[in-house]
Amino acid sequence: MANNYKGYLIKFGNNIMPNKYFLEYSSTPDQRLESDAERDNTGYLQRSTLPNGKTSITFSTHILDLDEKIRFQDLINLSIVNESQRKCKVTFWDDEINNYKTSYFYIPDVEFSVMDADENNIRYNPISVELIEY
């Protein structure tokens, strides 16, 4: 059985994020959304599930120096289609369908924690990034 995996987990716009950046990577693909859910008088759950699911992706980097962090940010920033919303176009490996899927995500605020800084460089603790599908 052939698989559809092409050697990357996520692509921002047309740019593959190299797997070498990832310390951890996880996704919750196609989360079901409900328009209504309630129990009837017999206790049976009545659900109205919307036809489209939404994916969330979370990953963290290895420790990065300043130049690596800038390259990492540049790859993400190339995919931004709305800067004020941090809306970006992403292609990702969807483990529910075992194939790639392209969609739009927003990126909540990212915290940058400095591990060490000297007169020539900054080293960053692992940086965590979350993506939430529109």
Side-chain angles (χ1 to χ4, degrees):
M1 176 180 204
N3 69 51
N4 298 311
Y5 180 67
K6 296 177 184 171
Y8 67 91
L9 294 169
I10 192 165
K11 182 165 58 170
F12 287 89
N14 296 319
N15 302 288
I16 293 172
M17 177 65 69
N19 294 334
K20 70 178 183 176
Y21 281 109
F22 301 128
L23 177 63
E24 294 181 306
Y25 180 99
S26 65
S27 67
T28 307
D30 305 320
Q31 297 172 69
R32 295 341 184 243
L33 303 171
E34 296 175 350
S35 63
D36 187 34
E38 62 185 15
R39 297 209 178 262
D40 63 19
N41 60 0
T42 65
Y44 184 75
L45 181 62
Q46 305 288 325
R47 292 177 67 202
S48 297
T49 305
L50 297 172
N52 298 311
K54 297 298 175 197
T55 296
S56 64
I57 299 169
T58 304
F59 59 87
S60 61
T61 67
H62 291 281
I63 295 167
L64 302 175
D65 68 21
L66 179 58
D67 288 339
E68 291 172 315
K69 181 193 75 87
I70 291 170
R71 284 192 298 274
F72 171 78
Q73 287 175 297
D74 286 346
L75 282 170
I76 293 172
N77 290 338
L78 288 170
S79 71
I80 299 291
V81 297
N82 183 315
E83 193 171 324
S84 66
Q85 294 178 10
R86 276 201 204 108
K87 181 179 182 179
C88 57
K89 184 177 179 184
V90 172
T91 300
F92 62 98
W93 177 254
D94 184 328
D95 276 302
E96 187 156 314
I97 62 171
N98 295 311
N99 207 340
Y100 289 95
K101 191 170 163 184
T102 300
S103 190
Y104 290 93
F105 288 78
Y106 73 92
I107 304 172
D109 295 341
V110 176
E111 180 180 348
F112 300 95
S113 172
V114 173
M115 171 186 279
D116 185 38
D118 61 30
E119 60 279 352
N120 298 313
N121 204 358
I122 303 171
R123 285 179 32 144
Y124 293 87
N125 285 309
I127 299 166
S128 295
V129 177
E130 182 180 10
L131 303 169
I132 301 169
E133 190 173 12
Y134 271 83

